Amino acid sequence: MQEILRKSAMEQFSAIKEKKVSATELTKASLDRINSIDEKLGAFNSLTEEIALETAKKVDEKVAKNEDLPLLAGVPLALKDNMNLVGSRTTASSKILENFVSPYNATVTQKLLDNLVPIVGKANLDEFAMGSSNENSAFKKVHNPWNLNKVPGGSSGGSAAAVSSCEATLALGSDTGGSIRLPASFCGIVGMKPTYGKVSRYGLIAFASSLDQIGPFSRTVEDSAALLEIIEGYDPHDSTSLNIPVQNYRASLNNDIKGLRVGVVKELVGEGLAPDVQKAMQNAIDTYKALGAEVVEISLPNLKHSIGIYYILATAECSSNLARFDGVRYGHRTDNAENLLEMYCKSRAEGFGAEVKRRIMLGTYALSSGYYDAYYKKAQQMRRVVTEGFVKAFEKVDVLISPTCPNTAFDLGSKTEDPLAMYLTDIATISANLAGIPAMSIPAGFDGDGMPIGLQLMSPQLSEAKLFNIAYKFEQSHDYYKQLANI
Ligand code: GLN
């Protein structure tokens, strides 16, 4: 691999500005890397070489004229394949959208193109972002760059594997219940889910709209902050978009955190934690104490209900969102239907995979008359209770920490027969989506087999600047983030 690919996005950006490397060279290096290793990883559904090189050329023309460059111009990025990019197929890793070509750009995509960020390809995911291991892709599995027999985490497994293996320097993912943070943790990189409403979802294929949020993948906290600066901001095309100013998160990364109050989530550090994850957690506590923070235990007693709440609400919303895939306007249409109803049924039966069907059925049931009050309404009420638990906790502490997952990446195929075991992987991540708060996963060590461990940080709504600051301080106290998968 070319040395430049190992560098952080901000280092690559500086190298381009200082004419040490051209954006075209860097983009080609990224594409070469993908072409040489992605057969083993399966991180990409498709490459968008032409779009990437065209963008890189624009960067080089600006450099030649000594013009200022927009932030991260020329740094190769992988786009999760549930976000629209004109000129690319956007499949959501589903057979139903296998040949769907984006008719317009998602807002995030447009922002990346405006900033001259070369988009090298569309990253693999669990079908419609439903899953925790990326094994639900209709096309191929993604392998973890640290050990090819293990899962990369899901649903943004392709995005995480691409960044972790230096195929791309940055990626975007979407996080409905942990789909950015879990794969970031399993692949040893930084994954960030912003406050609900910070980043527009216009042009993201919706899974569960009250939970979905787009966010950055990178190998450093600084890169994550920079990428969020580019993609966030008000968008009239997304009715949940917050009309607040865009921030400069990099300015406060290195602020002193003496006196900061760090809460350790009691329910997420007890029983059931893998011993090496437990050790990494203790190390995180010690690190924050050494940095002058005050560490206390915080209880979130309703956290145990979060998976139950999520699997009612997310499935209910997806049953509604996925109703649009009916063989009429988008994607796959069956060849052998006698009438309209049969056309709908067969198109959906042929197009959707098993997990997606399971969720549509669960959600339809939870919303059906007679069950709505018992399931959907109850889950909404409990969502509120979980959210209030966070509000109370943040009266006492500035940030909450926990492992991103009780265990490290598991073997491919080991949980595919047991949906419940798969759902439980998200025990630490889901509640941040229910509460709409920002949360991130950062590299926090390795287990005995050399697999990465992730530390999750959660903070109050709209406190991203502080969250990045607290994450950066931890990152800079260790060299975990400097270690790269050997592939
Ligand atoms: N793993 C969770 C699920 O299967 C979360 C997915 C996500 O965040 N998109 O629904």
Side-chain angles (χ1 to χ4, degrees), residues 377-451:
K377 196 168 154 202
K378 201 33 108 207
Q380 289 284 31
Q381 288 166 334
M382 281 306 292
R383 177 180 189 172
R384 184 57 183 257
V385 171
V386 168
T387 306
E388 277 164 7
F390 277 108
V391 172
K392 282 216 187 78
F394 290 130
E395 284 167 6
K396 298 193 200 111
V397 292
D398 300 285
V399 66
L400 288 166
I401 61 170
S402 75
T404 308
C405 183
N407 48 270
T408 54
F410 44 90
D411 287 345
L412 279 157
S414 61
K415 291 190 202 263
T416 38
E417 299 307 316
D418 185 354
L420 212 56
M422 193 70 93
Y423 297 172
L424 284 171
T425 336
D426 298 320
I427 179 70
T429 51
I430 277 177
S431 56
N433 301 76
L434 295 176
I437 57 175
M440 65 195 293
S441 179
I442 56 175
F446 298 88
D447 71 7
D449 297 325
M451 295 308 288

Side-chain angles (χ1 to χ4, degrees), residues 129-132 155 175-179 207 310-311 359 426:
M130 298 174 192
S132 305
S155 67
D175 190 311
T176 307
S179 278
F207 164 11
Y310 172 87
Y311 277 96
R359 301 219 184 177
D426 298 320

